Amino acid sequence: MSNSINIGINEQQRAAVGEGLSKLLADTYSLYLQTHNFHWNVTGPFFQSLHTLFEDHYTELAVAVDDIAERIRALGITAPGTYAEFAKLTQIKEVAGNIGATEMIERLVESHETVVRTAREILPLASDADDESSASLISDRLVVHEKTAWMLRSHLES
C-alpha cells in the first residue's frame, strides 16, 4: 500500500492550501489565546456578561483550531503546533499587559476582522484547487468571524 495521497488535488495545490490553512490556524489559535486571556482578566460593570461571552467565543475557537489542523493533516501537510510557529504565521496583534473591557472588545473586533481577511486570502486557493472540503471550512469560518465581529462591535455603540 502506498503512502501517497490521491484525493484529486495535486501536490502543489495541496501544499498551497495547506500553507494558507496554516496561517488561518495560527490566527485562530492566537485569537483563541487572546479571547481566553480576556475571559480571565475582564473587570468592570459588565464583568459577568463579558466573562461568559468570551468563554463562549474561546470554546468555539477551540473546536475550530482542531478542525483546521485536521484539514491540514488530511491534505498531507504537517500542521503547525508551537507558539514559535504560530508567532511567525499569525497576523493577530498580541496584547501586552492588562487592558480595560472596552479595549478588549475593540481588540477582539480587530482580531476577528484579521481572521476574516486571512480566510478571504486563502479561499481562492481552495476554490482554484477544487478543494471543496477546505473551501467549505474556510467559508464557515468567515461566517463565524464576521458575525462575531459584528456582535462585538454592537457592544461599542452608545
Side-chain angles (χ1 to χ4, degrees):
M1 184 167 177
S2 172
N3 282 341
S4 66
I5 297 172
N6 184 8
I7 59 173
I9 305 169
N10 72 45
E11 187 175 348
Q12 184 179 359
Q13 289 174 315
R14 283 188 295 106
V17 173
E19 183 179 314
L21 287 172
S22 292
K23 292 176 184 176
L24 183 62
L25 176 61
D27 280 356
T28 304
Y29 192 88
S30 298
L31 177 54
Y32 164 84
L33 188 60
Q34 182 180 79
T35 305
H36 217 148
N37 173 27
F38 293 167
H39 165 78
W40 290 326
N41 292 301
V42 68
T43 58
F46 301 106
F47 164 78
Q48 186 59 47
S49 61
L50 291 176
H51 183 76
T52 301
L53 180 66
F54 296 162
E55 182 175 5
D56 291 344
H57 289 178
Y58 77 69
T59 300
E60 191 282 330
L61 289 163
V63 173
V65 165
D66 199 50
D67 291 344
I68 297 164
E70 288 177 355
R71 182 62 198 155
I72 294 167
R73 293 299 300 135
L75 292 169
I77 311 299
T78 300
T82 67
Y83 289 121
E85 289 173 300
F86 290 151
K88 288 178 191 174
L89 293 168
T90 190
Q91 297 298 308
I92 301 292
K93 295 177 186 164
E94 191 168 308
V95 176
N98 196 22
I99 59 176
T102 299
E103 189 175 345
M104 286 178 179
I105 295 167
E106 290 169 347
R107 294 300 292 269
L108 288 171
V109 168
E110 180 182 314
S111 294
H112 280 278
E113 290 177 345
T114 298
V115 177
V116 168
R117 290 190 303 274
T118 297
R120 284 195 191 290
E121 284 178 20
I122 63 174
L123 186 56
L125 296 173
S127 296
D128 290 347
D130 290 327
D131 180 358
E132 184 59 38
S133 298
S134 295
S136 177
L137 174 65
I138 296 163
S139 294
D140 290 348
R141 297 313 308 155
L142 280 167
V143 170
V144 169
H145 293 289
E146 287 175 344
K147 182 177 181 179
T148 303
W150 156 61
M151 291 184 159
L152 287 167
R153 271 193 307 276
S154 295
H155 286 270
L156 300 171
E157 293 177 9
S158 43

